[in-house]
Amino acid sequence: MSHEITPEMFEQPSWDERYGGPGRVWSGRANAVLAAEAAGLVPGRAVDLGCGEGGDAIWLAEHGWQVTGIDFSEAGLARAAAHAAERGVADRVEWRQADLRAWTPAGADGVEQWDLVTSHFLHLLDDGMLEATREMARAVAPGGTLLVVGHHPDDEHTGLRWSMPGVLFTAEGLGVALHPDLFDVHVEARQREEVRDGVAHQVTDAVLRARRRD
Ligand SMILES: C[S@@+](CC[C@H](N)C(=O)[O-])C[C@H]1O[C@@H](n2cnc3c(N)ncnc32)[C@H](O)[C@@H]1O
């Protein structure tokens, strides 16, 4: 990567600027791991944390889920809402703005829970994903699924990632946030091909999937 990565790039103004530019930042399609993992689940309530332009949330809505999409970027959420309306699923997705470094599913009415809690490529400074995963785990309803996917530290060499110490994570590293009595946990480093500027790269996703026991 040619430009310097700075902490400011992980803040809301930087994301608002990206989403405020011309054209889509992401493909608009669902992430492959989400589509593969959710295909085997019975649709219910889902929350997508760090939903960006809404590709995953909209895919879930189109597959029968009632979805909450959360992100701190107002510009990203505005785009997501517009895409949901274009695809005819606006009534199946609720968009909420929140900073996931401070987010908790606990509110005045108790802990809000979903049947699927999913997050793709949310990366927080200072190992922030560990605490975020703890909160995500609290948001999983009994019998529900947690799915957290991110760029694996092996991707460092590709030069494709925004990375600073503590930003990339392994599934094993996040898995310690889950209580072993409550969750059946599966951790994986999953390979896939990513095409950037017409060039194909082999990349690795950290995949944490956990099912909360009833
Ligand atoms: C790499 S994008 C991934 C978007 C989407 N999940 C996808 O896979 O297409 C990361 C997203 O996380 C959001 N984000 C980053 N830090 C955040 C924070 N502290 N709180 C809420 N959202 C955050 C960004 O605005 C951005 O939309």
Side-chain angles (χ1 to χ4, degrees), residues 82-160:
H83 293 152
E86 278 160 26
R87 303 261 281 266
V89 292
D91 59 333
R92 302 195 65 85
V93 195
E94 181 203 345
W95 306 103
R96 294 185 195 168
Q97 188 191 20
D99 188 330
L100 292 162
R101 292 170 291 194
W103 177 81
T104 168
D109 300 328
V111 178
E112 187 171 8
Q113 294 188 319
W114 290 264
D115 305 298
L116 172 63
V117 177
T118 176
S119 179
H120 275 67
F121 307 115
L122 172 68
H123 287 274
L124 302 175
L125 292 172
D126 304 324
D127 295 308
M129 278 303 285
L130 191 58
E131 189 51 35
T133 302
R134 234 173 239 126
E135 294 300 321
M136 291 184 209
R138 297 176 73 199
V140 181
T145 298
L146 173 67
L147 180 64
V148 184
V149 178
H151 302 305
H152 192 279
D154 281 358
D155 276 9
E156 203 90 62
H157 76 275
T158 63
L160 296 173

Side-chain angles (χ1 to χ4, degrees), residues 10 15 19 26 31 50-52 71-73 98-101 120-122 124:
F10 293 82
W15 281 103
Y19 290 128
W26 313 114
N31 284 296
C51 62
D71 203 287
F72 67 0
S73 168
D99 188 330
L100 292 162
R101 292 170 291 194
H120 275 67
F121 307 115
L122 172 68
L124 302 175

Side-chain angles (χ1 to χ4, degrees), residues 160-179:
L160 296 173
R161 307 298 178 220
W162 285 3
S163 183
M164 299 188 80
V167 164
L168 303 186
F169 53 81
T170 63
E172 290 83 352
L174 293 189
V176 301
L178 306 182
H179 200 295

